[in-house]
Amino acid sequence: MNAMNPVRPSVIPTAPGRVPGLGHVIPVFRDPLEFLTSLQGLGPIVKIYLGPMPLYVTTSPEAIHRMLVTDAAKFSKGRLFDNAKVVFGDSLLTASTTRHRDQRRLIQPAFHREQVVRLAGRLHQHMVSRIEGWQEGSSLDFVSEMHSLGIEAVVPTLFAAEHSAEVTAKIHHAVPVIAQGLVRRVLFPDFVLALPLRANRTFVAAADELRDAFGDIVGAHHAGHDADGDLISTLNSAVGPGSGVRLSDSQVRDQAVSILLAASETVATTMSWLFHELARHPEIRERFYAEVDEVLGGSPCGYADFPKLVYVEQVLRETLRLHTPNWILTRSATVAVDFDGVLLPEGAEVLYSLSALHRDPALYPDPQVFDPDRWGPDREIPSRTAYIPFGSGAHKCIGDSFAWAEMMIGACTIASRWRLDHTPGTRVGQSRKLATLQPTGLHLRPTAITRHRRESRPA
Ligand code: HEM
C-alpha cells in the first residue's frame, strides 16, 4: 500500500440486505446465483457475510482477470478446494504456485492436441453404444443419462485400463454424491463441515469410494494393462521436474480422481442444457441438425469435422455462456492485493461466479436470452476477459480441448440419430445445490431421426 495515499478495505462495498448475526445467509441459500448476479455492477469487489464470516466477491472482468492472471501468484485456490482435499488430495485442483506449476507440467502431455485428436476417435466409439440403446418414445432422465454417458465415455478413453463392473459402479455412485457436497464445502462454515452430520459422512464415504475405485484402476495398469498414451500411463511414466522422482501410486490416483471429477459434471451439465435449449427453440434445432446432416451426412463426427461445424460451435458457446457449469469458484489472498486503489486484505476468502459474469447485462445485451447468433461471424465478440467458461491464467482448464471434443462429438452423435423433445409435463428448473448449475426435472423423449426427417418434410 502507498503510505502517501492509504486505501482502506472499507472502500469495498458491502452487499445490501445484511441482517445482524446472519449476514447474507438468507439470499445466499434462497438463490445463490441470483444473489451473486445481483452484485454485478455494485463494484469490482463486493463484500458479503455468511453469519460473521466475511467473503469477498470479485465481479468485473478486470477484477477477475487480475485475480486469475495478473496477480495470480498472490492467491491460493481457496475454500472450495481447501475443504475438498478429502476428495482431491494433493492434486492439480488443490495445488497453488510452484507445486501447481510442477504438477501441471507433468500432466500437460496427456492433453496435447495430438493426444486429444487421438482420444476423440475413442470417444465416439464409447458413446455410440449407449446412444443407440435409447428407446423411441421413452422418457430419458436426461441429466442422469448425460452423467452415465460421460463416465462411460471418459473413463475408458482417458484411463484406458480394463476395470471391473464393481469399479464402474463405485464411480457412478460416488461422483454425483461428491458433486452434491462440494457447494456446502464453500458456503458452510468450517465447524459445520467438521460435525458428524449425515451429509458430511456421506461426502467422505463417497470420496473414499472413488479413491478406492481409482486405486484399483492404477493397480490394473501395474498388472500389465497399461495402455499407450492414456492419462494413467502418462502419469506413471512422468518424472518430477528437477527432482527426477516418479509419482507415487497415491499421487497418480489423486490426479486421476481430480481429473475425472473436473471432467464429468461440467460436460454432463453442458450437454443437458444444450439439448434442453434445442428442444425449447425448434428454429435453432433445425439449423443445428441441418448443419450436422450437411457436414457429416451420417458419418461419425471426428476432430477434422470441427471447423466445418460452425453453427454447432456457436450453439455450444452460447450454452456455455448462459449455463456456465462452474457457477461458484474460490481463491484466497495470501497477501494484501491492490485492485486499482481498492485493497483486498491478506487472508481474504474470495468467491467469483463465471455464471454471473456471463449474465452481466453490461457485457451481454439481453443476457437471459439464449441466442447463438451472438457468436456469429458478423457480431462483435465480447472481450476475452468477459467470456471465460474454462477459466483463465495458470489454472485455466487443462481439459478444455478434450471437453470441446467430447461435447462436439457427443452433440453430433446424438443429433445424427435422435431428435429430443421435452416429455409432456416436463418442468425444467435449475439446481442451486450442486457444484455445477444443472437443470432439474429434465425429461426428453427421443424420436429416431429418420422418422423426424420424413415428418418434417413439407407435404
Ligand atoms: C464444459 C466442460 C468444462 C468446463 C466448463 C470446465 C471449466 C473449468 C474451469 C472454469 C476451471 C478453472 C478452475 C479454477 O480456476 O479454479 C477448470 C479447471 C480444470 N479442469 Fe475443467 N472444465 C471442463 C471440462 C474439463 C475436462 C473434460 C477435464 C479433463 C478431462 C477438465 C479438467 C480440469 C482440471 C484438471 C482443472 C484444474 C486445472 C489447473 O488448476 O491447472 N475439465 N475447468
Side-chain angles (χ1 to χ4, degrees), residues 354-370:
L354 299 180
S355 311
L357 177 72
H358 295 157
R359 291 174 185 205
D360 185 339
L363 303 169
Y364 296 93
D366 297 324
Q368 302 293 341
V369 175
F370 184 78

Side-chain angles (χ1 to χ4, degrees), residues 68 77 80-81 91-95 100 104 107 111 154 158 231 255 258-268 270 320 324-326 329-331 352 354 388-400 402-404 406-407:
L68 299 185
K77 295 290 301 278
L80 173 60
F81 303 96
S91 68
L92 203 57
L93 279 179
T94 52
H100 171 262
R104 183 120 182 167
I107 297 171
F111 291 100
V154 165
L158 278 184
L231 187 75
Q255 299 292 2
S258 299
I259 288 169
L260 177 75
L261 284 168
S264 48
E265 285 293 308
T266 45
V267 171
T270 310
L320 282 170
T324 315
N326 299 91
L329 287 166
T330 60
R331 289 292 187 269
Y352 66 107
L354 299 180
I388 48 169
F390 293 102
S392 192
H395 290 279
K396 179 171 185 274
C397 182
I398 200 170
D400 57 352
F402 182 82
W404 263 114
E406 192 185 344
M407 294 187 296

Side-chain angles (χ1 to χ4, degrees), residues 16 61 101 106 109 116 221 288 330 367 396 404 414 419 449 453:
R101 192 199 54 210
L106 290 181
V116 173
H221 276 71
F288 185 100
T330 60
K396 179 171 185 274
W404 263 114
I414 293 174
R419 184 186 70 189
I449 201 75
R453 292 242 180 79

Side-chain angles (χ1 to χ4, degrees), residues 153-175:
V154 165
V155 172
T157 302
L158 278 184
F159 307 112
E162 282 170 30
H163 50 267
S164 64
E166 194 196 341
V167 165
T168 311
K170 281 182 181 173
I171 295 174
H172 277 281
H173 175 254
V175 168

Side-chain angles (χ1 to χ4, degrees), residues 117-279:
V117 173
R118 219 164 63 81
L119 295 178
R122 288 196 207 157
L123 274 171
H124 177 264
Q125 157 205 330
H126 290 299
M127 283 172 177
V128 161
S129 56
R130 185 162 191 113
I131 291 169
E132 283 187 341
W134 291 350
Q135 297 293 316
E136 170 98 25
S138 61
S139 180
L140 298 170
D141 175 348
F142 205 68
V143 175
S144 117
E145 191 61 31
M146 287 300 100
H147 272 285
S148 301
L149 179 70
I151 290 174
E152 280 168 24
V154 165
V155 172
T157 302
L158 278 184
F159 307 112
E162 282 170 30
H163 50 267
S164 64
E166 194 196 341
V167 165
T168 311
K170 281 182 181 173
I171 295 174
H172 277 281
H173 175 254
V175 168
V177 177
I178 294 169
Q180 205 149 11
L182 280 174
V183 168
R184 302 174 71 254
R185 305 253 133 193
V186 184
L187 297 180
F188 284 30
D190 294 350
F191 78 89
V192 176
L193 301 176
L195 294 173
L197 301 173
R198 195 161 148 244
N200 293 339
R201 288 199 314 267
T202 316
F203 183 83
V204 173
D208 287 345
E209 194 174 23
L210 194 58
R211 286 151 77 87
D212 253 20
F214 272 89
D216 288 353
I217 293 180
V218 175
H221 276 71
H222 290 315
H225 299 296
D226 237 345
D228 178 33
D230 80 293
L231 187 75
I232 302 225
S233 37
T234 303
L235 292 170
N236 276 338
S237 56
V239 176
S243 68
V245 174
R246 286 186 192 276
L247 295 178
S248 69
D249 279 4
S250 62
Q251 287 170 318
V252 172
R253 179 202 60 199
D254 286 354
Q255 299 292 2
V257 163
S258 299
I259 288 169
L260 177 75
L261 284 168
S264 48
E265 285 293 308
T266 45
V267 171
T269 300
T270 310
M271 293 288 288
S272 304
W273 284 118
L274 168 69
F275 280 93
H276 166 63
E277 293 293 358
L278 291 178

